[in-house]
Amino acid sequence: MDINTEVHNAFEVIQNGGIILYPTDTVWGIGCDASNEEAVKKIYALKQRMETKSMIVLFNGDKMMYNVFKEVPETAWQILDLSEKPTTLILDNPRNVAKNIVAEDNTLGFRMVKEPFCFKLMERMKRPLVSTSANISGMPTPKSFKEIVPEIIKGVDYVVNLDREKSCNKPSTIIKLSLDNQVKIIRK
């Protein structure tokens, strides 16, 4: 399949408030427009996940990051520059995103992606993309497309036809940074 066709198809679904199953720079993800509260609700329902457990968003560059976080600690840039593998950062006081993806402590996790599909899709969307692992809450995270359970595949509005053979053993590292520069590693 052609990446541009897949970006176009996924974009059409997301524009209409749908949810997609797609390859990321780590494991397969379920996603939608991060500013669409109804679409975010569909993901929580599909994953059978409590809305109090927040999800992360993907950005494709600094402009998108500053649109969501007015203040970005210097430490965040250092971590992003030094990270050799996909790293999720959790920062304080997000804005311009659906309220139901923000954690109770008013934080939001994000990851900068270079993976071509996600990057191009966000270029079209001009918005962050929700990303959460393609599993029912509490079940193991699938390492490849063939490990994703049928309920998830049937429950999304579109399944991206790329990288179906790719396998990934590890989700991203997660680091929480507060505006007062406290650093906490959530997942190595």
Side-chain angles (χ1 to χ4, degrees):
M1 271 313 265
D2 168 44
I3 187 168
N4 295 324
T5 306
E6 289 302 310
V7 166
H8 173 79
N9 295 347
F11 177 71
E12 294 287 303
V13 167
I14 285 174
Q15 280 289 87
N16 294 313
I19 61 177
I20 63 168
L21 181 60
Y22 66 102
T24 73
D25 51 344
T26 59
V27 295
W28 273 75
I30 305 170
C32 67
D33 174 346
S35 64
N36 184 330
E37 206 162 318
E38 290 306 309
V40 171
K41 278 184 184 159
K42 289 183 195 172
I43 295 179
Y44 280 117
L46 177 60
K47 284 184 64 96
Q48 299 164 28
R49 183 174 176 153
M50 301 282 292
E51 284 205 20
T52 50
K53 290 189 90 174
S54 60
M55 295 186 281
I56 73 158
V57 298
L58 302 179
F59 295 153
N60 69 356
D62 303 357
K63 188 175 168 199
M64 207 172 268
M65 182 160 90
Y66 279 116
N67 191 35
V68 175
F69 297 104
K70 203 160 103 183
E71 296 177 68
V72 178
E74 188 52 44
T75 325
W77 293 112
Q78 293 164 348
I79 292 169
L80 290 171
D81 288 343
L82 297 171
S83 298
E84 287 173 15
K85 60 182 192 146
T87 299
T88 298
L89 289 182
I90 301 173
L91 299 183
D92 292 328
N93 308 327
R95 57 198 180 145
N96 301 325
V97 290
K99 287 180 178 53
N100 52 350
I101 58 168
V102 176
E104 288 175 326
D105 62 356
N106 199 27
T107 60
L108 179 65
F110 74 90
R111 200 164 71 236
M112 288 282 192
V113 290
K114 294 177 176 70
E115 190 280 323
F117 171 78
C118 295
F119 191 90
K120 286 179 176 222
L121 178 58
M122 284 185 282
E123 265 183 347
R124 292 273 316 259
M125 291 167 60
K126 311 249 183 293
R127 291 203 178 95
L129 181 64
V130 168
S131 186
T132 181
S133 55
N135 59 337
I136 304 290
S137 206
M139 301 301 281
T141 299
K143 294 175 177 56
S144 64
F145 183 78
K146 58 179 175 287
E147 289 182 19
I148 299 170
V149 296
E151 300 94 289
I152 294 284
I153 293 171
K154 288 189 193 108
V156 297
D157 300 302
Y158 186 69
V159 179
V160 173
N161 195 9
L162 294 169
D163 296 335
R164 296 266 175 107
E165 302 310 309
K166 190 181 92 160
S167 180
C168 174
N169 295 326
K170 280 191 75 148
S172 65
T173 299
I174 302 178
I175 300 173
K176 186 170 186 174
L177 291 180
S178 52
L179 286 173
D180 58 6
N181 280 323
Q182 289 184 7
V183 177
K184 186 174 168 198
I185 296 181
I186 312 272
R187 180 172 71 199
K188 275 198 160 137

